């Protein structure tokens, strides 16, 4: 027999995994997925060494501190340095574990961190099958043997000093259920003002009335939430009986709880019992209580709480301020909320806590209904962290959601990466929505659908998003029906990858103009924008030469400048094009598309070259075009002209005639609409004829020591023998 104790404020989230194995990891001794309180794990093994592996979901919003103790001889555990409230469980164990003979004897020591504090413990749950539990160093109940024939559990356990010892004798497991045998809820109190007194008095003389006829009030002679109440007060007996009845406590504390299945405009708390799974909350503006209106909800360990909202209608109230803040802790001084919802915005369909607590804070008087549900903490409802988070759905729950909280006042990007999507049924659906602005889906898949190829999805980091799953598990006993529907990860980038600036700072360097993630598929979800400009004097144009382009069939790349505007298709390389600077490019990838089994987007890549002058020319009948280089040449002057025969003359060719033969050293002429294929014309001849309807003239002067003495260079271009359709002049005049 050996034991492992997990201590010191363990708070595991819904996606955390604890595994205890043999040292070689071949044998699994204990495994727990989801929320876990501090406690003792009992293990039967002949090995003297075990391995404890705790896999935490990378969520920085939830702090988790853990410590592991291990013993094989002395069956006792110490839980020290207690400085806050929590729960402790004895024991966790594997379902095949067996306690032979007279059962197991075990001692637990609880100790407050400070000598100015005492411990206050409530025996919350128990299913001990035989055996007794006794307590030492406590007020009133030091002589009590819990679970024997003569005693029930104590009303409270208040330490006389810093320590409480719990002595367990003859423990046996209950059938084959590895459930919680003994759960102790603890807190620390000030030793100077915490003491045991015999009586408290509850007087209802000044209690006004119940809000609803079905509401009840429970009065407990204990700090225990699970103990038998000393009074259950209902509205019909308030005035006739309870108004004049005094209730005396025998413990050092009274607990009074107000419970309503249908709560209306009153700040209060609700605790889900074993048979309650949802509560409806209705607010109205008839009775205006003090703001804010606060509701707290709590369930037992192993559960989490979910708020259901109407996501197809805007929230009520004044749109200039926040309506509702939702927290996953009932503490009065809770830190950051899970989400803050503004009036007149579209809310998410569901909001889930990562704990078994929930707090709703309304900042306005409104007429509104919502529901709070208690669900198993099995990973169905989860929330992304602040950096990298992974989520996968392997449950048979009909509806699940993954909340991706926004980061206000940031301009970064969330990038979602799917490894696969598998929706086997026609009723299955996977939907991604942005909270607040619209009800339209950013991304939506409907079953049956299977793919292992899907582009990443990019989202603005200052907005909140939710990924919803609807799945019909037809045969829950079959492992094939509960395999992963999809696996998705979220990564946060500090910069906005959908908005890119490309800047020419000199003549010597070109720019790479391409989709994010190239040569992989470009992400889906937003519009892409590129701004291209120059901070270097003299760079006024750019030559765009594409080496790859493969866009989704209903996506297009639009490029605009002062001299032209072009739209490029989805699967063919475009010709080279000249654009003036500044240049703006846009790719729309944010609207819903029709998906096939292999979802591919592709992307594009082009090189942008800096130019001092240039242009695109369409030759039309009886027209003349004259272009001139700048008055002053630099030693890196480059000009490019792209000339084609024009509409209606696609079958024509071009003839070039040089007026100045000695300046042909700086000229390259491409017999094509692109420089990609490198097909050149021989400029040594006085007259040159193309074989296509487009030529590119590249005039480049680099590192020239006598540039200021260059004479203009004129090239006459003919179409089918028509004289000087275009005159191109370069150099100084």
């Amino acid at each position: 027999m050996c034991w492992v104790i997990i201590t010191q404020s363990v708070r595991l989230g819904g996606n955390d995994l604890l595994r205890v194995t043999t040292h070689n990891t071949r044998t699994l001794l204990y495994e727990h997925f989801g929320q876990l309180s501090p406690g003792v794990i009992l293990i039967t093994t002949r090995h003297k060494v075990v391995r404890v592996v705790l896999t935490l979901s990378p969520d920085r919003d939830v702090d988790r501190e853990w410590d592991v103790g291990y013993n094989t001889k002395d069956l006792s555990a110490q839980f020290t340095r207690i400085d806050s409230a929590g729960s402790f469980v004895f024991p966790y164990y594997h379902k095949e574990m067996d306690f032979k003979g007279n059962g197991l004897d075990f001692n637990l020591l609880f100790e407050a961190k400070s000598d100015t504090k005492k411990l206050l413990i409530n025996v919350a749950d128990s299913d001990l099958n035989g055996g007794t539990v006794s307590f030492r160093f406590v007020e009133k109940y030091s002589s009590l043997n819990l679970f024997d024939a003569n005693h029930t559990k104590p009303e409270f356990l208040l330490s006389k000093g810093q320590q409480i010892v719990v002595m367990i004798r003859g423990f046996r497991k209950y059938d084959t259920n590895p459930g919680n045998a003994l759960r102790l809820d603890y807190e620390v109190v000030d030793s100077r003002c915490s003491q045991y007194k015999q009586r408290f008095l509850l007087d209802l003389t000044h209690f006004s009335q119940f809000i609803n006829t079905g509401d009840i009030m429970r009065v407990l002679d204990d700090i225990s939430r699970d103990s038998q109440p000393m009074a259950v007060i209902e509205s019909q007996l308030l005035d006739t009986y309870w108004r004049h009845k005094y209730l005396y406590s025998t413990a050092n504390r009274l607990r009074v709880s107000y419970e309503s299945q249908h709560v209306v405009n009153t700040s209060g708390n609700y605790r889900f019992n074993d048979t309650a799974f949802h509560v409806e909350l209705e607010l109205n503006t008839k009775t205006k209580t003090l703001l804010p209106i606060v509701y707290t909800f709590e369930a037992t360990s192993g559960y989490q709480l979910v708020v259901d909202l109407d996501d197809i209608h805007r929230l009520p109230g004044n749109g200039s301020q926040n309506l509702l803040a939702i927290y996953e802790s009932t503490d009065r001084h809770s830190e950051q909320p899970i989400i803050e919802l503004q009036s007149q915005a579209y809310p998410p369909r569901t909001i889930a806590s990562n704990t078994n607590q929930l707090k709703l804070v309304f900042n306005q008087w409104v007429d509104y209904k919502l529901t709070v549900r208690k669900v198993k903490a099995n990973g169905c409802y989860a929330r992304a962290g602040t950096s990298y988070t992974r989520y996968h759905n392997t449950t048979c729950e009909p509806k699940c959601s993954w909340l991706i909280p926004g980061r206000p006042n940031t301009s970064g990007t969330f990038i979602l990466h799917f490894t696969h999507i598998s929706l086997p049924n026609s009723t299955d659906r996977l939907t991604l929505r942005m909270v607040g602005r619209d009800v339209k889906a950013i991304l939506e898949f409907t079953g049956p659908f299977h793919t292992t190829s899907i582009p990443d999805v990019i989202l603005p980091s200052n907005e909140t998003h939710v990924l919803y799953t609807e799945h019909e598990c037809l045969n829950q006993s079959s492992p094939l029906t509960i395999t992963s529907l999809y696996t998705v990860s979220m990564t946060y980038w500090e910069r906005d990858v959908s908005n890119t600036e490309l800047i020419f700072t000199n003549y010597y360097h070109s720019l790479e103009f391409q989709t994010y993630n190239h040569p992989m598929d470009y992400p889906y979800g937003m519009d892409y924008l590129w701004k291209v400009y120059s901070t270097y004097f003299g760079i006024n144009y750019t030559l765009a030469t594409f080496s790859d382009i493969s866009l989704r069939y209903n996506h297009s790349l639009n490029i605009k400048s002062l001299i032209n505007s072009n739209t490029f298709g989805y699967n063919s390389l475009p010709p080279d094009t000249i654009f003036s600077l500044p240049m703006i490019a846009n790719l729309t990838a944010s609207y819903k598309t029709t998906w096939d089994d292999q979802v591919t987007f592709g992307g594009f890549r082009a090189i942008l070259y800096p130019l001092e002058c240039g242009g695109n020319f369409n030759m039309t009948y009886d027209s003349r075009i004259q272009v001139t280089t700048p008055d002053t040449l630099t030693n890196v002057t480059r000009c490019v002209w792209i000339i084609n025969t024009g509409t209606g003359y696609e079958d024509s060719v071009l003839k070039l005639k040089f007026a100045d033969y000695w300046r042909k050293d700086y000229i390259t002429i491409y017999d094509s609409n692109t420089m990609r294929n490198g097909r050149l014309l021989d400029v040594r001849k006085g007259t040159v004829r193309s074989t296509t309807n487009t030529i590119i003239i590249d005039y480049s002067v680099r590192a020239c020591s006598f540039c200021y003495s260059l004479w203009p260079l004129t090239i006459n271009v003919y179409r089918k023998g028509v004289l000087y359709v275009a005159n191109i002049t370069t150099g100084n005049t």
Side-chain angles (χ1 to χ4, degrees):
M1 173 74 66
C2 69
W3 58 266
V4 175
I5 178 172
I6 303 174
T7 66
Q8 305 312 117
S9 303
V10 176
R11 291 193 302 159
L12 304 188
N15 291 323
D16 298 337
L17 176 64
L18 171 71
R19 304 181 85 246
V20 181
T21 67
T22 55
H23 182 63
N24 58 13
T25 71
R26 294 178 181 176
T27 304
L28 179 64
L29 304 175
Y30 180 80
E31 183 179 52
H32 183 89
F33 180 78
Q35 298 175 2
L36 187 69
S37 298
V40 173
I41 300 176
L42 295 178
I43 297 170
T44 300
T45 175
R46 70 178 187 274
H47 301 281
K48 297 298 183 182
V49 180
V50 298
R51 183 184 297 270
V52 181
V53 179
L54 182 60
T55 304
L56 298 178
S57 59
D59 188 343
R60 296 180 182 175
D61 293 338
V62 179
D63 296 328
R64 305 180 185 87
E65 301 177 1
W66 69 298
D67 187 17
V68 172
Y70 176 73
N71 202 341
T72 59
K73 297 179 180 179
D74 181 19
L75 293 183
S76 63
Q78 295 184 359
F79 187 37
T80 60
R81 295 177 292 154
I82 301 175
D83 59 1
S84 60
S87 297
F88 189 92
V89 174
F90 176 87
Y92 300 109
Y93 52 86
H94 193 276
K95 65 180 180 179
E96 296 179 357
M97 187 173 183
D98 187 19
F99 300 99
K100 299 180 179 180
N102 296 324
L104 176 70
D105 296 341
F106 206 99
N107 293 336
L108 298 172
L109 171 65
F110 296 84
E111 184 177 73
K113 182 177 181 181
S114 171
D115 59 4
T116 63
K117 302 293 183 180
K118 290 184 178 182
L119 292 175
L120 185 61
I121 293 181
N122 165 44
V123 181
D125 293 329
S126 61
D127 58 3
L128 285 177
N129 185 21
T132 62
V133 180
S134 58
F135 309 95
R136 296 293 181 268
F137 312 124
V138 297
E139 300 282 2
K140 185 180 177 181
Y141 295 106
S142 291
S143 60
L144 177 143
N145 284 327
L146 183 59
F147 307 121
D148 67 5
N150 300 317
H151 296 87
T152 59
K153 64 182 180 180
E155 297 168 311
F156 67 92
L157 295 171
L158 177 64
S159 65
K160 294 180 178 180
Q162 288 179 256
Q163 297 180 343
I164 292 180
V165 174
V166 181
M167 304 176 66
I168 303 167
R169 297 295 180 263
F171 168 74
R172 298 181 180 86
K173 68 176 182 176
Y174 181 75
D175 296 333
T176 59
N177 176 28
N180 299 344
L182 182 65
R183 195 184 92 224
L184 304 173
D185 295 336
Y186 58 85
E187 59 183 295
V188 290
V189 295
D190 196 316
S191 60
R192 294 169 296 181
C193 59
S194 299
Q195 52 185 306
Y196 168 64
K197 289 187 176 181
Q198 286 292 334
R199 309 185 75 181
F200 267 108
L201 170 66
L202 178 65
D203 183 359
L204 297 177
T205 304
H206 301 289
F207 177 72
S208 58
Q209 62 181 4
F210 286 93
I211 298 173
N212 304 297
T213 57
D215 296 351
I216 62 173
M217 183 185 298
R218 297 181 188 271
V219 183
L220 293 82
D221 186 20
D222 194 1
I223 65 167
S224 171
R225 295 168 177 168
D226 301 320
S227 63
Q228 294 294 323
M230 58 187 297
V232 178
I233 305 172
E234 299 174 319
S235 60
Q236 61 267 30
L237 296 177
L238 176 63
D239 294 326
T240 59
Y241 180 78
W242 291 112
R243 185 79 72 187
H244 312 288
K245 180 74 172 179
Y246 298 111
L247 299 174
Y248 295 93
S249 75
T250 59
N252 72 331
R253 185 172 171 182
L254 273 179
R255 181 182 297 273
V256 181
S257 65
Y258 187 98
E259 301 178 14
S260 174
Q261 292 287 336
H262 194 70
V263 184
V264 181
N265 276 42
T266 178
S267 297
N269 60 76
Y270 183 84
R271 180 175 174 84
F272 289 89
N273 57 36
D274 293 340
T275 60
F277 286 90
H278 78 281
V279 58
E280 294 181 357
L281 185 65
E282 180 178 354
L283 293 89
N284 62 55
T285 55
K286 294 179 181 179
T287 304
K288 294 187 177 180
T289 59
L290 292 176
L291 293 176
I293 306 171
V294 181
Y295 301 95
T296 62
F297 303 85
E298 187 171 357
T300 55
S301 179
Y303 288 92
Q304 63 185 129
L305 299 177
V306 179
V307 182
D308 292 327
L309 301 168
D310 178 3
D311 66 332
I312 62 174
H313 295 97
R314 295 181 184 273
L315 289 169
N318 185 353
S320 63
Q321 59 180 308
N322 287 333
L323 170 66
L324 171 62
I326 301 178
Y327 300 82
E328 64 179 2
S329 171
T330 59
D331 293 344
R332 178 174 299 179
H333 303 290
S334 301
E335 296 181 355
Q336 292 296 323
I338 301 173
I339 192 172
E340 290 183 291
L341 299 176
Q342 191 171 11
S343 296
Q344 302 306 314
Y346 291 99
R349 187 184 311 162
T350 55
I351 303 170
S353 69
N354 276 347
T355 68
N356 61 340
Q357 296 182 343
L358 195 71
K359 182 170 68 175
L360 309 180
V361 180
F362 288 89
N363 298 299
Q364 301 179 47
W365 296 297
V366 291
D367 296 310
Y368 196 65
K369 295 181 180 180
L370 57 83
T371 302
V372 178
R373 289 184 290 124
K374 179 183 75 173
V375 299
K376 280 285 189 181
N378 55 13
C380 171
Y381 294 95
R383 185 168 72 253
T386 57
S387 54
Y388 175 84
T389 308
R390 192 167 178 263
Y391 174 73
H392 63 280
N393 192 325
T394 57
T395 70
C396 262
E397 300 294 336
K399 293 183 179 181
C400 296
S401 67
W402 190 45
L403 180 70
I404 307 172
R407 300 165 65 103
N409 305 317
T410 62
S411 58
T413 305
F414 293 137
I415 301 179
L416 305 186
H417 175 70
F418 290 86
T419 60
H420 71 282
I421 297 177
S422 181
L423 306 176
N425 310 311
S426 60
T427 56
D428 294 348
R429 188 181 303 274
L430 179 63
T431 308
L432 176 65
R433 283 197 175 100
M434 180 187 295
V435 174
R437 293 188 180 181
D438 202 348
V439 296
K440 294 181 180 179
I442 298 174
L443 186 72
E444 188 170 26
F445 295 96
T446 302
F449 181 83
H450 304 274
T451 185
T452 57
S453 173
I454 181 173
D456 291 349
V457 181
I458 64 172
L459 306 170
S461 63
N462 62 336
E463 301 288 350
T464 296
H465 300 80
V466 186
L467 188 65
Y468 299 105
T469 309
E470 300 174 47
H471 172 56
E472 182 180 5
C473 202
L474 300 179
N475 183 4
Q476 298 189 21
S477 63
S478 171
L480 297 177
T481 64
I482 56 175
T483 55
S484 177
L485 301 178
Y486 60 88
T487 298
V488 59
S489 62
M490 185 280 291
T491 305
Y492 171 71
W493 280 49
E494 292 285 351
R495 68 181 184 90
D496 181 4
V497 300
S498 67
N499 199 332
T500 305
E501 287 189 345
L502 301 174
I503 306 173
F504 288 108
T505 58
N506 56 60
Y507 272 111
Y508 300 99
H509 296 96
S510 59
L511 300 176
E512 292 185 350
F513 172 41
Q514 63 187 26
T515 49
Y516 172 79
N517 211 30
H518 187 274
M520 306 297 290
D521 291 344
Y522 58 91
Y524 169 87
M526 294 174 63
D527 292 345
Y528 292 89
L529 181 68
W530 293 266
K531 297 178 181 179
V532 185
Y533 58 94
S534 171
T535 58
Y536 190 84
F537 179 77
I539 300 179
N540 305 308
Y541 299 85
T542 182
L543 167 66
T545 300
F546 284 83
S547 59
D548 178 38
I549 187 167
S550 176
L551 306 179
R552 184 73 176 174
Y553 66 88
N554 49 4
H555 294 171
S556 60
L557 174 65
N558 303 294
I559 303 179
K560 294 182 179 180
S561 71
L562 288 177
I563 64 172
N564 60 332
S565 176
N566 292 66
T567 299
F568 298 106
Y570 71 95
N571 64 354
S572 59
L573 284 174
D576 293 355
T577 309
I578 306 295
F579 295 96
S580 62
L581 297 177
M583 179 189 93
I584 304 296
N586 177 266
L587 174 62
T588 300
S590 59
Y591 51 84
K592 183 181 177 182
T593 60
T594 302
W595 306 97
D596 48 33
D597 283 352
Q598 294 301 316
V599 184
T600 57
F601 276 15
F604 70 82
R605 185 178 188 274
I607 301 297
L608 301 179
Y609 298 95
L611 302 178
E612 188 170 346
C613 53
N616 309 286
F617 298 100
N618 245 343
M619 297 180 64
T620 55
Y621 187 73
D622 251 354
S623 66
R624 177 180 179 181
I625 302 172
Q626 186 174 23
V627 292
T628 306
T629 59
D631 294 339
T632 302
L633 290 175
T634 67
N635 62 349
V636 288
T637 294
R638 186 181 186 188
C639 299
V640 175
W641 298 272
I642 301 175
I643 306 170
N644 65 62
T645 56
T647 305
Y649 297 93
E650 289 81 1
D651 295 332
S652 301
V653 295
L654 297 168
K655 184 170 70 174
L656 294 83
K657 194 169 185 179
F658 294 89
D660 303 285
Y661 300 111
W662 64 281
R663 282 282 60 114
K664 293 178 293 190
D665 308 355
Y666 304 107
I667 288 205
T668 303
I669 301 178
Y670 293 85
D671 187 14
S672 173
N673 62 3
T674 177
M675 297 180 180
R676 287 188 301 266
N677 54 30
R679 188 166 55 201
L680 304 178
L681 293 176
D682 188 356
V683 298
R684 293 174 299 177
K685 301 177 182 179
T687 300
V688 179
R689 182 183 297 271
S690 71
T691 62
T692 68
N693 62 3
T694 304
I695 61 171
I696 299 177
I697 302 175
D698 186 358
Y699 179 79
S700 180
V701 179
R702 293 180 179 272
C704 176
S705 60
F706 52 90
C707 294
Y708 292 97
S709 63
L710 292 178
W711 289 93
L713 173 62
T714 301
I715 304 175
N716 297 320
V717 182
Y718 301 81
R719 185 188 62 218
K720 298 181 69 171
V722 178
L723 183 61
Y724 69 93
V725 176
N727 289 336
I728 301 176
T729 305
T730 65
N732 280 5
T733 57

